[in-house]
């Protein structure tokens, strides 16, 4: 009976090893003090660019080169510490503090995006002995998704343009370009003592309101939204709700100009 049990355990161990070596995911077991167990998937070495993940702190191994602030890093470390060795219920209380995605710098300087999945490994006594962390590299998937989204946005914009007569569209582009150029000039001259700021903001508001109204009439949604945001800032300034911000206004005008150029 002992021999049978030993053979069964050996076979199960071999199966687990085969799975850990073959699965294309980084699988880590995290123990006390956040130290990674020596048993891990082979692919974890590839993902984390480390030949020996076992025995290292997960905070160094996974989050050491992560693009995040020290406060968030400390929060993750504290959440891991609050789970391991404690009642399994503690994981439910702290799971929201464990990130589901992290952006980190690889050794060549490029960015990697990791999808993270955390699970508690619960003992017979109901304690969370370890945390199981599964890591997927979704960098290419995210890039493809972003490219598809940009392509869809371009197709939407093309559809909006095709619904407008050719001459009318180009008349709009010419008039909007002139108004935005004049807005830029007004902003650059605002620093002169002889310039009345109330008159400047009034003119800026009028220019942006005209661009927004004409873009909305033609159904150019993204340009309408961009112009509306700057128009709102101008309205808040002229009515005294917010202070004049040269940088914010210049940035807003620039965004509208970029959107107009994109449509053109």
């Amino acid at each position: 009976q002992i021999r049978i049990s030993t053979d069964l355990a050996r076979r199960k161990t071999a199966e687990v090893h085969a799975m850990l070596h073959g699965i294309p995911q980084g699988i880590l077991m995290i123990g006390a003090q956040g130290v990674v167990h020596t048993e891990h998937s082979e692919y974890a070495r590839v993902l984390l660019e480390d030949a020996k993940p076992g025995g290292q702190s997960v905070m160094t191994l996974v989050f050491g080169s992560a693009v995040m602030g020290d406060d968030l890093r400390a929060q993750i470390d504290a959440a891991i510490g609050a789970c391991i060795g404690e009642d399994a219920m503690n994981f439910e209380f702290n799971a929201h503090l464990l990130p589901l995605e992290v952006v980190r710098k690889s050794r060549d300087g490029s960015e990697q995006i990791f999808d993270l999945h955390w699970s508690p490994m619960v003992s017979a006594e109901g304690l969370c002995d370890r945390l199981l962390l599964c890591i997927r590299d979704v960098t290419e998937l995210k890039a493809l998704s972003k490219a598809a989204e940009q392509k869809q946005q371009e197709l939407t914009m093309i559809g909006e343009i095709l619904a407008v007569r050719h001459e009318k569209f180009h008349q709009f582009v010419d008039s909007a370009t002139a108004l935005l150029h004049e807005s830029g000039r007004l902003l650059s001259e605002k620093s002169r003592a002889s310039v009345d700021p109330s008159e400047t903001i009034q003119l800026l508001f009028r220019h942006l309101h005209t661009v927004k109204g004409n873009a909305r009439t033609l159904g150019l949604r993204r340009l309408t939204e961009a112009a509306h945001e700057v128009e709102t800032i101008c309205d808040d300034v002229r009515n005294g709700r917010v202070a004049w911000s040269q940088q914010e206004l210049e940035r807003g005008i620039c965004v509208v100009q970029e959107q107009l150029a994109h449509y053109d």
Side-chain angles (χ1 to χ4, degrees), residues 98-138:
L98 299 172
L100 302 179
E101 186 176 285
V102 65
V103 178
R104 65 196 297 272
K105 292 285 187 182
S106 62
R107 288 182 179 175
D108 63 5
S110 62
E111 286 191 346
Q112 294 173 298
I113 305 175
F114 285 171
D115 177 76
L116 308 178
H117 184 270
W118 306 81
S119 302
M121 300 180 71
V122 184
S123 68
E125 292 77 24
L127 298 178
C128 178
D129 285 341
R130 295 171 185 161
L131 287 179
L132 186 68
L133 175 58
C134 298
I135 307 171
R136 286 193 311 139
D137 188 342
V138 294

Side-chain angles (χ1 to χ4, degrees), residues 243-255:
W244 178 288
S245 173
Q246 183 82 5
Q247 186 178 13
E248 188 176 15
L249 285 167
E250 287 176 349
R251 184 169 58 247
I253 295 293
C254 184
V255 169

